[in-house]
Amino acid sequence: MASDIGLFLGQLLTKPHQVVALAPSSRALSAEMAATLDPAGGPVIELGAGTGRITQAILDRGIPAEKVHSIEMNPIFCDKLRADFPGLNVYQMSAGDVGDLEVEGAQAVVSGLPLLSMPYELQNAILTGTFKQVGTAGTYIQFTYGPKPPVKTEIREAMGLTWTTSRKIWGNLPPARVYRFSCPGS
Ligand SMILES: C[S@@+](CC[C@H](N)C(=O)[O-])C[C@H]1O[C@@H](n2cnc3c(N)ncnc32)[C@H](O)[C@@H]1O
């Protein structure tokens, strides 16, 4: 774990607009991100996997690596994910293209992306592509450090998104909440 903090901070310094976090997600936040996944359900798509903290929590929840599809744009993080998680499906690509992934019957998209700092077009592509993958039964799971939902109001309203929020996870730097979005009309 110490080695992944060094790698994370190195990439934060070279690519601050992509990493946009002070540290990798804590064990407590990662566990909350994975808490509602069904081990017997469909595949899970992960966005912005970074050094793999949330990936590990998804596997700890009982989802086999072969059923996890992790998208990450940073090639150095992709190399680490492939080395650390045999069987994991790793895609070096933009999360904006999540709708193009060939995955049947995904139950959820779990996102460690810095969604709040992303422009409208990219957020819209991520949410539209997500609900193309998971349909009305699936969820988009996203943490945020701020007090408001991390998806822009225009997108929430246009897509008719509904959501639930977790308790505040104090054991994270900074403290965060997990939002679970559904799209009843997709
Ligand atoms: C805040 S870090 C989170 C890393 C890890 N999931 C965690 O929680 O510790 C955000 C990650 O999203 C990746 N990222 C940012 N924009 C992206 C995009 N458009 N497509 C795919 N990955 C992206 C960054 O490279 C970085 O690894």
Side-chain angles (χ1 to χ4, degrees):
M1 199 178 266
S3 68
D4 87 321
I5 293 174
L7 181 64
F8 190 93
L9 292 179
Q11 294 305 297
L12 175 61
L13 289 176
T14 49
K15 298 184 172 77
H17 301 296
Q18 291 177 16
V19 176
V20 201
L22 294 173
S25 295
S26 69
R27 199 181 289 266
L29 177 58
S30 301
E32 180 61 37
M33 291 287 284
T36 54
L37 299 176
D38 177 1
V44 173
I45 299 172
E46 183 189 17
L47 307 181
T51 57
R53 292 286 184 92
I54 297 173
T55 319
Q56 183 66 63
I58 296 169
L59 301 180
D60 291 346
R61 178 79 192 145
I63 316 287
E66 292 72 18
K67 282 173 62 179
V68 182
H69 298 263
S70 297
I71 292 178
E72 169 54 58
M73 72 186 330
N74 182 316
I76 293 173
F77 288 154
C78 286
D79 286 347
K80 178 167 172 55
L81 293 164
R82 291 190 183 102
D84 288 354
F85 303 107
L88 184 76
N89 302 285
V90 179
Y91 307 87
Q92 190 201 328
M93 59 186 262
S94 170
D97 296 325
V98 59
D100 297 338
L101 222 56
E102 295 196 5
V103 175
E104 279 295 308
Q107 62 170 296
V109 170
V110 180
S111 168
L113 293 170
L115 199 70
L116 269 183
S117 65
M118 290 179 162
Y120 173 89
E121 290 74 20
L122 183 53
Q123 267 205 21
N124 196 40
I126 290 166
L127 271 297
T128 306
T130 286
F131 286 102
K132 182 178 163 197
Q133 293 287 357
V134 305
T136 51
T139 45
Y140 177 78
I141 304 170
Q142 172 76 55
F143 69 77
T144 185
Y145 309 127
K148 294 183 185 159
V151 177
K152 292 184 192 302
T153 310
E154 305 92 289
I155 298 173
R156 282 188 269 129
E157 290 183 355
M159 294 181 70
L161 300 183
T162 58
W163 63 90
T164 60
T165 47
S166 75
R167 66 191 167 85
K168 197 159 192 172
I169 311 296
W170 291 99
N172 192 70
L173 183 68
R177 271 183 216 285
V178 175
Y179 280 69
R180 294 182 172 84
F181 293 92
S182 302
C183 188
S186 64

